[in-house]
């Protein structure tokens, strides 16, 4: 049974939530239950000849939570054009892996980015006729570009996600928790149609 706040002197709880799109810190509010959902960023798409980079990890060191960024699309290596892998996560009660990107050989194919894990942002979508839809935060992977009309690229992977809940007494109300929000991976150069960078990660906190 939870303590009675009027008797124990605990501060009253006002349910709420907060979203953080950049690195910083937060002060733990009065809560009965508080849940942290942390997303890593997406990886960058690539052109046929130039790789994208992976997204940097999001983390809350004091809570042991890490959501890794998706991998960047990898340029032609003599055998294939490899799409970016989805980012993993650790430390949560639940840990989710982001979606993998998709590679393409030709302009009339697709070079999609992977979706961010656990309902994160969709990856960038690229198809024939230069039709494209930008990647969305948090954690959507960037689409791959085209070096020419017959040389496609590969999308970046989506960011991972971890979720962890705490009950009264597991965290100190009024304490400060620092966090890092990972930045999306850069796109590899593509001559004909530019590849897309990955979207940043995010932290979502809800308490009641």
């Amino acid at each position: 049974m939870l303590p009675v706040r009027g008797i124990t002197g605990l501060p009253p709880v006002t349910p709420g939530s907060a979203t953080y799109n950049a690195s910083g810190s937060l002060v733990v509010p009065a809560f009965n239950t508080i849940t942290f959902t942390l997303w890593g960023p997406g990886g960058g798409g690539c052109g046929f000849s130039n790789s994208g980079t992976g997204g940097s990890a999001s983390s809350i060191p004091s809570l042991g939570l890490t959501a890794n960024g998706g991998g960047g699309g990898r340029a032609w290596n003599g055998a294939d054009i490899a799409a970016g892998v989805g980012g993993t996560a650790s430390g949560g009660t639940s840990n989710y892996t982001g979606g993998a990107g998709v590679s393409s050989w030709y302009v009339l194919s697709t070079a999609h980015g992977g979706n961010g894990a656990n309902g994160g942002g969709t990856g960038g979508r690229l198809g024939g006729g230069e039709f494209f839809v930008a990647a969305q935060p948090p954690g959507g992977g960037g689409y791959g570009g085209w070096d020419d009309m017959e040389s496609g690229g590969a999308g970046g992977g989506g960011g991972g996600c971890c979720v962890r809940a705490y009950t009264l007494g597991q965290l100190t109300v009024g304490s400060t928790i620092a966090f890092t929000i990972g930045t999306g991976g850069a796109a590899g150069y593509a001559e004909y149609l530019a590849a897309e960078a990955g979207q940043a990660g995010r932290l979502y906190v809800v308490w009641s």
Side-chain angles (χ1 to χ4, degrees):
M1 184 174 67
L2 295 177
V4 179
R5 291 179 178 270
I7 297 174
T8 63
L10 292 171
V13 172
T14 301
S17 63
T19 300
Y20 302 92
N21 296 306
S23 300
S25 62
L26 62 89
V27 176
V28 177
F31 70 94
N32 293 310
T33 300
I34 186 168
T35 302
F36 295 79
T37 302
L38 182 67
W39 281 276
C46 73
F48 185 82
S49 302
N50 296 276
S51 296
T53 63
S56 60
S58 298
S59 66
I60 309 177
S62 63
L63 302 183
L65 302 180
T66 301
N68 292 305
R74 299 196 303 278
W76 171 253
N77 60 9
D80 59 26
I81 307 170
V85 299
T88 58
S90 62
T93 306
S94 300
N95 301 295
Y96 304 91
T97 299
V102 177
S103 62
S104 71
W105 284 94
Y106 303 106
V107 170
L108 295 180
S109 300
T110 57
H112 295 347
N115 294 338
N118 188 34
T122 55
R125 295 293 185 263
L126 184 63
E130 301 186 16
F131 169 79
F132 60 92
V133 177
Q136 299 298 307
Y143 54 70
W146 305 323
D147 275 31
D148 55 44
M149 291 298 290
E150 294 185 354
S151 298
C161 177
C162 54
V163 182
R164 187 167 176 179
Y166 298 86
T167 56
L168 184 62
Q170 292 182 304
L171 295 179
T172 301
V173 173
S175 63
T176 299
I177 294 178
F179 54 86
T180 298
I181 303 301
T183 55
Y189 175 76
E191 182 176 0
Y192 180 72
L193 180 65
E196 183 186 32
Q199 287 287 335
R202 177 176 291 170
L203 171 62
Y204 177 68
V205 185
V206 60
W207 60 91
S208 62

